Amino acid sequence: MSTLIVYIVVLCVERYGSQLTCNELSEFDSMKDDYEINWHMKRLRSIMSPSEEELRMRSVTVKNRRRAYLDRLVCGGHYFSEDAMREREPYLHHEYVGKFQDQSSRGMARPGERWSETLMRRCEEAALVAKIRGEQQRMGVPERDWVGNERVQEEEEEEEEEEEEEEVDEERRGGSNGQPVEVLRLKLSIMFFFFFFFFFFFFFVFFSVLTSMNNILENLVFNWAHWLVLCD
């Protein structure tokens, strides 16, 4: 009979002990000599009013469980694979990893893959690209930097490079005359040289003529004055 009573008490404390208060739980202290009842009593009291040591041990237990689950995911799971991370956060994956990868290879068939699987993967890829574009629009990213516009950006860069090369070629040819820039510079230098040469030459001739005329006028004035003196 006593064994049956102990079994009933153990079963009651195990199933409904979490619903009891501390005062109600103290009613079972008379039977704490039994190992099972004592164990359940200690467990329930540690949950209701834990000590500092029990709180520390509980935190350590939780951390250990999380670490064990993390190790399990890293070693044998699919959670930390690139595809899984891209499915969870497509925009973050694109910002830190995806935009440095070749986007065209994601839509290509993989070795040993059936055509139906390739089509399903392309549909999933289109959905992920739409999510990334929606997030880029929300973040205010310029349209030329949106995912999927890499080809347009490459074409624009190629056009700019071609225009720059044409400008450089035109500068080397000297524009529409088809003459090198060095030849044009040489011609300009020669023209400036002759211009300054003739300028100084004519200035010297003009100054010489002006000086000669001044001397002639002085002689005329002197002779005229001398003649007037003789006449008087």
Side-chain angles (χ1 to χ4, degrees):
M1 187 69 180
S2 61
T3 306
L4 180 60
I5 293 174
V6 171
Y7 175 74
I8 293 174
V9 172
V10 170
L11 192 61
C12 178
V13 173
E14 181 181 0
R15 290 185 178 180
Y16 309 108
S18 60
Q19 308 298 326
L20 301 177
T21 62
C22 293
N23 294 330
E24 293 172 344
L25 198 62
S26 62
E27 299 294 333
F28 296 94
D29 288 342
S30 59
M31 302 181 68
K32 66 180 180 180
D33 294 335
D34 184 80
Y35 174 79
E36 291 187 55
I37 295 176
N38 188 34
W39 186 86
H40 286 296
M41 296 278 287
K42 287 182 178 179
R43 181 180 63 83
L44 292 172
R45 280 182 176 141
S46 66
I47 294 173
M48 293 178 183
S49 56
S51 62
E52 293 182 0
E53 182 66 21
E54 289 173 345
L55 288 174
R56 188 184 68 81
M57 291 301 296
R58 190 180 301 174
S59 175
V60 171
T61 302
V62 171
K63 290 179 180 179
N64 289 338
R65 287 176 181 173
R66 291 176 179 172
R67 178 58 184 271
Y69 184 68
L70 176 63
D71 293 340
R72 223 168 31 246
L73 290 175
V74 171
C75 295
H78 182 67
Y79 188 80
F80 288 103
S81 65
E82 184 176 352
D83 293 337
M85 290 189 290
R86 188 166 183 262
E87 290 177 2
R88 288 195 302 272
E89 290 292 341
Y91 178 70
L92 289 178
H93 179 274
H94 175 73
E95 285 296 313
Y96 291 102
V97 180
K99 64 182 180 181
F100 304 106
Q101 296 175 341
D102 185 11
Q103 301 294 329
S104 60
S105 61
R106 296 185 181 276
M108 299 174 63
R110 296 176 179 175
E113 188 178 50
R114 292 182 295 181
W115 178 241
S116 58
E117 295 175 350
T118 304
L119 290 178
M120 290 297 297
R121 190 163 50 79
R122 287 180 179 177
C123 293
E124 294 174 357
E125 179 67 21
L128 289 175
V129 170
K131 288 182 181 179
I132 296 172
R133 282 199 172 190
E135 194 67 20
Q136 287 176 332
Q137 292 178 9
R138 190 181 68 82
M139 298 293 291
V141 178
E143 186 175 356
R144 65 190 305 270
D145 296 331
W146 288 0
V147 61
N149 290 351
E150 290 82 5
R151 183 59 185 171
V152 177
Q153 186 174 357
E154 291 177 359
E155 292 178 355
E156 292 179 354
E157 292 177 355
E158 289 177 358
E159 292 178 357
E160 292 177 357
E161 291 178 357
E162 290 177 357
E163 291 177 357
E164 291 177 358
E165 290 177 357
E166 290 177 357
E167 291 177 357
V168 172
D169 292 339
E170 289 180 358
E171 289 179 357
R172 289 178 179 177
R173 291 194 304 266
S176 59
N177 296 328
Q179 297 178 350
V181 178
E182 291 77 7
V183 176
L184 291 177
R185 289 177 180 175
L186 181 60
K187 289 183 177 181
L188 289 174
S189 301
I190 294 172
M191 289 174 61
F192 280 114
F193 172 76
F194 280 106
F195 173 77
F196 285 110
F197 175 77
F198 284 111
F199 174 78
F200 285 111
F201 175 75
F202 284 114
F203 178 77
F204 177 75
V205 171
F206 176 76
F207 182 76
S208 300
V209 171
L210 186 63
T211 305
S212 301
M213 290 179 65
N214 188 21
N215 293 330
I216 293 171
L217 289 174
E218 287 179 356
N219 291 328
L220 289 175
V221 170
F222 178 78
N223 293 329
W224 182 69
H226 182 70
W227 181 75
L228 289 177
V229 170
L230 292 178
C231 290
D232 291 341

